[in-house]
Amino acid sequence: MDIEEHRSGGQRVIAVDWGTSQLRAYRLDEAGAVIEARERPEGILAVPPGGFPAALDAIVAGWESAAGRVVMSGMVGSRQGWLEIPYVECPADTASIARGVRPVEWRKGATALICPGLVCRGSDGVPDVMRGEEVQVMGALTLEAGTGFGSILMAGTHSKHVRVESGAITGFETHMTGEVFAVLKAHSILGRMIEDGPPDDYAFARGVARSGEGSGLLHHLFGVRTRVLVGEMQARSVSDYLSGLLIGHTLRAAAPAPPVLVMGAPLVAERYRRACRQLGIDARTLASERATIAGLVAIDRLLTTKAA
Amino acid sequence: MDIEEHRSGGQRVIAVDWGTSQLRAYRLDEAGAVIEARERPEGILAVPPGGFPAALDAIVAGWESAAGRVVMSGMVGSRQGWLEIPYVECPADTASIARGVRPVEWRKGATALICPGLVCRGSDGVPDVMRGEEVQVMGALTLEAGTGFGSILMAGTHSKHVRVESGAITGFETHMTGEVFAVLKAHSILGRMIEDGPPDDYAFARGVARSGEGSGLLHHLFGVRTRVLVGEMQARSVSDYLSGLLIGHTLRAAAPAPPVLVMGAPLVAERYRRACRQLGIDARTLASERATIAGLVAIDRLLTTKAA
């Protein structure tokens, strides 16, 4: 890549996390600390064709004087984003990811940088992919250097279970945990029997426990219905029970190496952490926003250093 | 129950299969053969409160002279149906089911009969239920007497896997196979990448094979997406692959005892039969409508005989 214009080592960087539904920008100081953060619901699906330069302009408005470099990660590098950036193969470390970074024309005479996603193949040969989480993992490696962890779990719509060895992602697998939960709640017979209620940790724990019994997820899902039908479970406990069931199935199948570092929206990350603990897997949470910023800074520094 | 008015042994019976979405009635001769069949999209969810007598009147219109007895099975006996008939506990044979039959007031001075559903508890203590399928199983036992089978599989929205020993249902488990397929197709990220195409038996078989690999269903679901994303699978193959994946997971978890008798809508039953064959499980199909009628006749005869 041509990184000529990103060479100025002393300049400040703007870190951008551009996902499917949200656009987040962080103005950072020379040390990588956040001076100002902005967020808009302008995920890539909300950007009109050709509208990416203008959307970036808008979210960094007023930051111009400080903006020497803009480094972005997430779905902005997907087919539906600004420019499709080829996936980098696993195993991958910060250097491999930095080598996959590509520039896009942003303003006249100025480019912005987009990080690549990762692709890996499981032992079964089926590919798996991520876009954005790889930067968070690199950030976690920076933030948690020396504390030691066996794997990283990114909670969310599509939960990611990442194996890390010697500073590199050696493999990962994605589970449709959160999306299946949302779709079943909104559109299945189970959703129709759910009533709102206060958080029910006991129901969640029962769901996690149930995931270890025989007969598989599709049978366990029907059991949610029968438990309510025969009066063994309250309708207001269904949502937490279902969540525990799906997270339990995910964890038993993914079998993350402990200790597990759990990232994601705080409430969901805490659910995974609790389920890990119930299954005897040592786990702690890490704020994913901090990890994203640290990862983008680490990648930017590597680009700057190499070019200098 | 008071079956006084159902005592006339020589009389013809009307068999009614009243499910969630369909109402089917069969006018039978003394030998139990169908003289006339009628079907309406008046499943129990389409019947207004208090409207069951009129709906039954309408579908048997003109059959009055022949109608000595009306025997019904299915969701008509559920909480949302005409009258909630208590579940009968497993193990259950035709006699136990017949003992659970209850009358409802239909016309002045005339009642109709509703068969009970079954409830069983798995080794894990979680209850499972069926309404209507138990009558089909009893019919299958009549129709297939002497041919020998190890278990019965009812394909459909909620697939039922029934263990049968010495003419009795000893246990069963329900899997949300068909509903999860429909919900994912209609509402998930997988559905959005599906294109219509001709039946793709190879994609179906690949889905069945995939279900035996590690990492669980929630990971396999995400793999559908990545396979398309990296160009390994055509968008028009996704639906059949997903179907194979879900049926494969169901069969591996339910582990039906062979030979398996598969019932259900012909196209879906045939899918389960093919998946069984791929997994080395001997299986054949049986028309479920025939089984329903034979089951209702067998129960009716038992009631008549006992009362005579």
Side-chain angles (χ1 to χ4, degrees):
Chain A
M1 61 167 293
D2 176 12
I3 49 169
E4 197 68 26
E5 66 274 26
H6 304 287
R7 204 173 265 184
S8 40
Q11 254 184 312
R12 291 165 171 180
V13 67
I14 291 174
V16 175
D17 171 13
W18 207 332
T20 304
S21 55
Q22 293 292 318
L23 167 59
R24 298 184 182 89
Y26 308 92
R27 184 184 173 194
L28 307 178
D29 67 16
E30 288 83 350
V34 177
I35 301 171
E36 189 180 345
R38 291 178 183 169
E39 177 168 0
R40 292 180 175 209
E42 282 193 329
I44 62 157
L45 298 181
V47 176
F52 286 94
L56 180 57
D57 268 340
I59 199 152
V60 303
W63 293 355
E64 279 79 2
S65 62
R69 295 184 302 283
V70 174
V71 189
M72 308 189 277
S73 66
M75 293 299 280
V76 66
S78 70
R79 203 168 301 169
Q80 294 78 38
W82 191 330
L83 179 72
E84 185 173 6
I85 315 293
Y87 291 111
V88 167
E89 297 269 347
C90 280
D93 59 9
T94 310
S96 346
I97 294 170
R99 275 195 298 276
V101 169
R102 294 288 176 271
V104 283
E105 186 145 350
W106 172 28
R107 295 161 171 172
K108 197 171 169 57
T111 59
L113 302 175
I114 302 181
C115 294
L118 292 194
V119 62
C120 78
R121 282 182 188 269
S123 55
D124 45 35
V126 178
D128 206 333
V129 294
M130 55 168 59
R131 276 204 191 271
E133 294 90 352
E134 70 293 336
V135 169
Q136 295 185 307
V137 171
M138 295 306 139
L141 284 164
T142 308
L143 296 172
E144 299 280 313
T147 62
F149 52 85
S151 59
I152 293 182
L153 192 165
M154 338 285 281
T157 305
H158 298 151
S159 67
K160 304 273 183 189
H161 307 264
V162 186
R163 294 184 295 283
V164 179
E165 286 167 48
S166 312
I169 295 175
T170 54
F172 59 88
E173 59 183 52
T174 308
H175 289 242
M176 251 174 77
T177 324
E179 180 166 358
V180 169
F181 176 68
V183 164
L184 289 175
K185 268 187 82 165
H187 301 290
S188 80
I189 196 170
L190 301 184
R192 286 195 287 278
M193 63 195 343
I194 286 177
E195 287 172 16
D196 286 340
D200 186 340
D201 292 352
Y202 176 65
F204 178 78
R206 280 181 79 189
V208 173
R210 175 67 167 147
S211 70
E213 292 167 2
S215 299
L217 176 57
L218 295 169
H219 176 54
H220 293 165
L221 290 177
F222 190 76
V224 180
R225 179 166 181 266
T226 44
R227 277 192 150 151
V228 175
L229 206 63
V230 302
E232 271 191 13
M233 188 161 61
Q234 302 286 312
R236 62 174 183 271
S237 301
V238 169
S239 181
D240 283 309
Y241 179 83
L242 182 59
S243 171
L245 193 55
L246 290 166
I247 289 177
H249 269 279
T250 297
L251 289 175
R252 290 177 201 273
V260 181
L261 207 55
V262 182
M263 286 194 270
L267 287 177
V268 183
E270 174 57 20
R271 280 175 177 267
Y272 274 89
R273 196 194 62 78
R274 265 195 288 141
C276 279
R277 192 177 52 188
Q278 184 175 339
L279 298 179
I281 304 167
D282 183 25
R284 65 182 189 278
T285 57
L286 173 69
S288 52
E289 190 174 40
R290 283 182 60 215
T292 304
I293 296 167
L296 286 167
V297 167
I299 290 163
D300 177 67
R301 288 204 175 139
L302 209 57
L303 288 173
T304 315
T305 312
K306 284 183 135 179
Chain B
M1 63 165 290
D2 175 11
I3 49 169
E4 197 67 26
E5 67 275 27
H6 304 288
R7 202 173 266 184
S8 40
Q11 253 182 316
R12 291 163 172 183
V13 67
I14 290 175
V16 175
D17 171 12
W18 207 333
T20 304
S21 55
Q22 292 292 319
L23 166 59
R24 297 183 183 90
Y26 306 93
R27 183 183 173 194
L28 307 178
D29 67 16
E30 287 84 352
V34 177
I35 300 170
E36 190 180 345
R38 290 177 184 170
E39 178 167 359
R40 290 179 177 210
E42 283 193 328
I44 63 156
L45 297 181
V47 177
F52 285 93
L56 181 57
D57 267 340
I59 199 153
V60 303
W63 291 356
E64 280 79 358
S65 62
R69 295 183 302 282
V70 174
V71 188
M72 307 189 278
S73 67
M75 293 300 280
V76 66
S78 71
R79 204 168 300 170
Q80 294 78 37
W82 191 330
L83 180 73
E84 186 174 5
I85 314 293
Y87 291 112
V88 167
E89 297 270 347
C90 280
D93 58 9
T94 310
S96 345
I97 294 170
R99 277 195 297 273
V101 169
R102 296 287 176 271
V104 283
E105 186 143 349
W106 172 27
R107 295 162 171 171
K108 196 171 170 58
T111 59
L113 301 175
I114 302 182
C115 293
L118 293 194
V119 62
C120 77
R121 283 185 185 267
S123 54
D124 45 36
V126 178
D128 206 332
V129 294
M130 56 168 58
R131 276 203 191 273
E133 294 90 349
E134 70 292 337
V135 168
Q136 294 185 308
V137 171
M138 295 305 138
L141 284 165
T142 308
L143 296 172
E144 298 280 313
T147 62
F149 53 87
S151 60
I152 293 182
L153 192 166
M154 337 285 282
T157 305
H158 299 152
S159 67
K160 304 273 182 188
H161 307 264
V162 186
R163 293 185 295 284
V164 178
E165 287 167 48
S166 312
I169 295 175
T170 54
F172 57 90
E173 58 183 52
T174 308
H175 288 242
M176 251 174 74
T177 324
E179 181 166 0
V180 169
F181 176 69
V183 164
L184 289 174
K185 270 188 80 166
H187 302 289
S188 81
I189 196 170
L190 302 184
R192 287 196 287 279
M193 63 196 343
I194 287 178
E195 286 173 15
D196 286 339
D200 184 341
D201 292 351
Y202 177 65
F204 179 79
R206 278 182 80 188
V208 173
R210 176 68 168 146
S211 69
E213 292 167 3
S215 298
L217 176 58
L218 295 169
H219 175 54
H220 293 165
L221 290 177
F222 190 77
V224 179
R225 178 164 182 268
T226 44
R227 279 194 147 149
V228 175
L229 207 62
V230 302
E232 272 193 12
M233 190 161 60
Q234 302 287 313
R236 62 173 183 272
S237 301
V238 169
S239 182
D240 283 310
Y241 179 82
L242 181 60
S243 170
L245 193 55
L246 290 166
I247 289 177
H249 270 279
T250 297
L251 288 175
R252 290 177 202 272
V260 181
L261 207 55
V262 182
M263 286 193 271
L267 286 177
V268 183
E270 175 57 21
R271 280 176 177 268
Y272 274 89
R273 194 194 63 78
R274 265 195 289 141
C276 280
R277 192 177 50 188
Q278 185 175 338
L279 299 178
I281 303 168
D282 183 25
R284 65 183 189 279
T285 58
L286 174 69
S288 52
E289 190 175 39
R290 281 183 59 215
T292 304
I293 297 167
L296 286 167
V297 166
I299 290 163
D300 177 69
R301 287 207 173 136
L302 209 56
L303 289 172
T304 315
T305 312
K306 283 179 134 181

